[in-house]
Amino acid sequence: MPESLVIETPRLRLRPFREDDLDDLTRFNADPQVARYLSSGKPMTRAESWRQIAMFIGHMQLRGYSILAIEESSTGAFLGRSGPWFPEGWPMLEVGWGVVPKRQGEGIATEAGQASLEWCFANLGVERVCSLIRSHNGPSIRVAEKLGAKLEYQLEEFMGEPADVWIHTRPL
């Protein structure tokens, strides 16, 4: 496992979260448009966002990979989060994505998700990766479909409500 996981694309840099991401992550997590699809579906406070950063860093220490901050390469602007994730209680390794609302629709989630999946297949020796998506999250479903994922089954209860399990398979 790399000591400091960074995934780059022509326009994005996915890198580990740092404490100085707190203001950006707090704005992201507090936005109702973002929060409705993540975790409990409720906006998060600054303190909850700080704990989330600590959780991402802890996951990186334990597993060697984690949810990463998405930065725009040309400006360093915080654009959201994506990356490989497999905490206790998850059905399998997951790649997820979330983009700040003002930059949604630019293909950032698809680009970050694709780069994260490629990293998983190249570095973790897995054949399948999931994306856990609420059935009412049309934008993420469209991203999963663009990435070639197939809806395989539904978890009846996942963090308080059902979640669809979309499966990405290693390209041949």
Side-chain angles (χ1 to χ4, degrees):
M1 292 297 150
E3 251 181 59
S4 182
L5 173 60
V6 175
I7 301 171
E8 297 197 55
T9 72
R11 69 178 174 153
L12 305 177
R13 182 171 188 260
L14 285 67
R15 53 119 181 114
F17 272 91
R18 306 179 299 245
E19 190 171 7
D20 65 2
D21 292 315
L22 181 57
D23 289 339
D24 289 325
L25 187 63
T26 297
R27 278 189 295 279
F28 179 77
N29 285 335
D31 190 305
Q33 186 177 337
V34 171
R36 67 183 169 170
Y37 299 129
L38 301 177
S39 302
S40 69
K42 297 177 183 152
M44 294 172 69
T45 65
R46 182 177 177 83
E48 289 167 329
S49 293
W50 187 93
R51 287 191 295 277
Q52 189 175 64
I53 289 173
M55 181 176 58
F56 293 156
I57 292 169
H59 190 282
M60 180 73 75
Q61 289 295 312
L62 293 168
R63 305 256 192 218
Y65 56 86
S66 190
I67 301 288
L68 303 167
I70 304 171
E71 285 182 341
E72 187 169 38
S73 297
S74 63
T75 66
F78 177 84
L79 300 178
R81 65 181 216 186
S82 182
W85 178 245
F86 193 5
E88 184 64 29
W90 257 235
M92 64 189 299
L93 177 67
E94 178 188 22
V95 162
W97 45 79
V99 175
V100 297
K102 69 181 181 184
R103 299 295 300 271
Q104 290 175 2
E106 296 179 26
I108 294 165
T110 303
E111 187 174 331
Q114 182 67 43
S116 296
L117 286 166
E118 289 171 3
W119 186 90
C120 289
F121 293 134
N123 294 281
L124 299 179
V126 295
E127 298 296 318
R128 294 162 42 98
V129 176
C130 79
S131 292
L132 300 171
I133 304 173
R134 305 289 186 209
S135 61
H136 61 277
N137 187 346
S140 278
I141 290 169
R142 285 188 293 281
V143 170
E145 290 172 337
K146 286 179 193 172
L147 295 174
K150 303 292 182 215
L151 176 58
E152 194 160 288
Y153 62 96
Q154 184 179 72
L155 297 172
E156 289 186 30
E157 197 289 319
F158 183 75
M159 299 185 74
E161 63 179 285
D164 295 336
V165 181
W166 289 79
I167 300 296
H168 309 267
T169 55
R170 178 192 291 272
L172 299 175

